Amino acid sequence: MTPEFAPASDDTRPLWLVWSGDDLPPDAQAGPWAEASGFAAKAGQICLLPDAAGGLRGAIMGLGDRALASRERFQIARAQALPRGNWHLADLPAGLDPDHLALGWLLGQYRFTRYKGKPVQGPRLVCPTGADADRALAIAAGEFLTRNLINTPAGDLGPDKLEAAARALCNDIGARVEVICGSALAKQNFPLIHAVGRASAVEPRLIDIRMGDQGPMLTLVGKGVCFDTGGLNLKPGASMGLMKKDMGGAATALGLLKMLAATGATGRMRLRVLIPAVENSVAGNAFRPGDVLASRKGLTVEVNNTDAEGRLVLADAMTYAAEESPDLMISLATLTGAARVALGPDIPPFYCDHDATAAALQQAAMQVGDPLWRMPFWDPYEDQIEPAIADLDNAPSGGMAGSITAALFLRRFAEGAGRYAHLDIYGWQPTAAPGRPKGGVGQGARAILAALPQILA
């Protein structure tokens, strides 16, 4: 499915957006029709307006109470319930951002139909006046890619198929890609990626994408655990049910790559995307609780829980990235349940020691409706990730500050990068909302895209 706007033409019907308690715009009034229809401008309430011949003249959609507007990011997506045809927004109420409306409309078009149903042509909207249509289409297309990847079950999206998806994207946008696979990981000093993925029937791999050859360097590292059984510390069945989404960091990185390429941002920077793609499986050669593993950086890691595998594969990839001294490195990972306990599914925590970078990222996140919340790299917790017999512990005991200790673990492998930020995302929408159907969802990509001009200036 490809997001699209209706072409600008005279053959479109008007759609009026109205806040609860406001008077209808004069052109939207059709005698007592709206009142007789029970229209009260509740959020998402639609009133179809007849013309004199009994046809459809236009429609009114309610936005609800202004005081409650912040509860929904993309109210305009509710207008996907309109009859099929081409529409345009008329007489916009003051304060509504055309760019946000444009993107919300496009995101509302998303449907995952790989296994059931088929794409259906619904209503189409002319891009709102004042909005950047090309940018909105680029962002929505990147988000659609992320959602499709997360929603695809692991049986159809193992490490090999994730590599294929990355190669297909690179072919489309003109990026370069190299892959280190299987035993070559051990030979080329990626021992943690190899250890986590070696028990799977599908070989682990490190996908390395590059684009652009001038300007500051941005490196994205996306966790690509295509399915996580928990390894020998096997997850309960209920906890395993959503583990197809454990590659949400990789999916978000690829979606962001697509956005950056389509908006022309890759012409102003050197961009690298690293994805350690593995399955954390159970077999006779699986890594074990109590094992001490070497890392590419030379630090040893005591494995106290094989279900804390994401930070292991990220560690080798981040070390490799940092060897090139990027100006900014960002890791994206569905990493800890502790982050969800603290902030819920909608607000990923992020960690960054550079105050100006963190401020730009959080400000952009709130402006574009892709929220993030800054959490601290709390140095006093460093001793929690330092066990007795190795340099690092992948799963500190005690159960407290789990997202922070995971971020501290990763920071050990970011040395060499000019600045580092880590996003502990969820990658899943547990209940449907306008523009955000239940299922896979990108988190942080739009915030990063909006903040980059300031961060890399």
Side-chain angles (χ1 to χ4, degrees):
M1 176 177 290
T2 302
E4 63 175 347
F5 287 116
S9 71
D10 295 332
D11 186 25
T12 62
R13 297 187 182 100
L15 171 65
W16 288 271
L17 304 180
V18 180
W19 292 106
S20 177
D22 287 1
D23 293 331
L24 296 181
D27 290 345
Q29 295 176 11
W33 180 262
E35 182 179 355
S37 299
F39 182 74
K42 297 177 182 177
Q45 185 182 16
I46 291 175
C47 177
L48 301 179
L49 300 175
D51 61 20
L56 181 59
R57 180 172 75 88
I60 315 168
M61 189 182 86
L63 297 175
D65 189 334
R66 287 179 188 269
L68 304 179
S70 62
R71 295 187 180 185
E72 288 189 359
R73 299 188 207 178
F74 301 111
Q75 289 178 324
I76 186 64
R78 291 180 178 272
Q80 291 290 331
L82 287 168
R84 182 176 175 178
N86 294 337
W87 298 80
H88 69 271
L89 294 179
D91 298 333
L92 276 183
L96 294 182
D97 178 13
D99 284 309
H100 194 70
L101 290 171
L103 179 61
W105 175 267
L106 295 176
L107 294 180
Q109 294 176 348
Y110 179 79
R111 304 290 186 276
F112 185 65
T113 57
R114 177 168 178 170
Y115 304 99
K116 182 179 180 179
K118 59 182 179 180
V120 176
Q121 177 67 64
R124 297 192 304 171
L125 184 73
V126 175
C127 184
T129 301
D132 186 333
D134 290 339
R135 184 176 177 85
L137 288 165
I139 293 172
E143 173 65 13
F144 280 23
L145 172 62
T146 294
R147 293 180 183 185
N148 284 339
L149 290 172
I150 296 174
N151 283 329
T152 301
D156 288 326
L157 197 75
D160 54 345
K161 299 296 177 61
L162 182 57
E163 176 190 337
R167 288 188 181 277
L169 173 60
C170 289
N171 287 338
D172 288 343
I173 64 176
R176 309 178 297 278
V177 60
E178 297 180 357
V179 177
I180 304 170
C181 187
S183 60
L185 289 166
K187 293 176 182 177
Q188 296 184 41
N189 194 24
F190 298 96
L192 293 178
I193 299 174
H194 184 262
V196 171
R198 70 191 181 205
S200 172
V202 182
E203 290 182 315
R205 62 207 65 207
L206 178 62
I207 303 165
D208 188 354
I209 300 169
R210 293 180 185 269
M211 193 172 189
D213 54 12
Q214 61 183 353
M217 184 172 187
L218 168 66
T219 299
L220 306 173
V221 185
K223 176 185 169 184
V225 178
C226 294
F227 194 79
D228 181 19
T229 66
L232 293 178
N233 289 114
L234 195 67
K235 292 178 181 288
S239 299
M240 215 182 294
L242 276 182
M243 283 301 100
K244 68 177 183 179
K245 78 170 185 66
D246 213 18
M247 39 63 69
T252 300
L254 290 174
L256 177 54
L257 171 60
K258 187 176 179 74
M259 295 177 197
L260 289 166
T263 57
T266 51
R268 303 186 297 273
M269 68 176 70
R270 292 170 293 146
L271 178 62
R272 189 181 190 189
V273 179
L274 285 165
I275 296 172
V278 304
E279 284 184 311
N280 187 19
S281 299
V282 178
N285 64 338
F287 73 119
R288 296 164 292 266
D291 282 354
V292 175
L293 304 176
S295 68
R296 181 179 181 86
K297 189 176 178 67
L299 296 173
T300 55
V301 182
E302 182 178 359
V303 177
N304 281 314
N305 192 321
T306 62
D307 196 18
E309 83 299 328
R311 67 201 70 184
L312 299 178
V313 299
L314 288 170
D316 272 354
M318 287 173 55
T319 299
Y320 191 38
E323 290 166 6
E324 204 167 18
S325 301
D327 295 279
L328 174 63
M329 177 162 64
I330 301 175
S331 55
L332 296 152
T334 52
L335 205 62
T336 70
R340 256 46 68 198
V341 172
L343 297 176
D346 282 358
I347 315 172
F350 78 99
Y351 299 81
C352 183
D353 278 336
H354 191 271
D355 288 343
T357 298
L361 189 56
Q362 183 144 22
Q363 182 179 18
M366 298 308 177
Q367 286 177 343
V368 300
D370 189 16
L372 300 170
W373 197 261
R374 189 182 185 186
M375 297 273 276
F377 281 122
W378 189 245
D379 291 338
Y381 291 163
E382 286 278 4
D383 59 357
Q384 295 186 31
I385 60 171
E386 297 170 346
I389 66 170
D391 294 314
L392 293 170
D393 182 342
N394 82 318
S397 61
M400 293 189 178
S403 182
I404 296 175
T405 54
L408 290 172
F409 181 98
L410 292 179
R411 187 175 65 168
R412 296 288 186 100
F413 299 91
E415 184 179 2
R419 287 165 286 166
Y420 170 59
H422 164 60
L423 278 63
D424 190 341
I425 67 174
Y426 188 48
W428 191 261
Q429 179 73 16
T431 56
R436 295 165 58 84
K438 181 177 180 179
V441 68
Q443 293 183 307
R446 293 187 294 107
I448 294 169
L449 179 70
L452 280 178
Q454 180 177 349
I455 293 174
L456 294 181

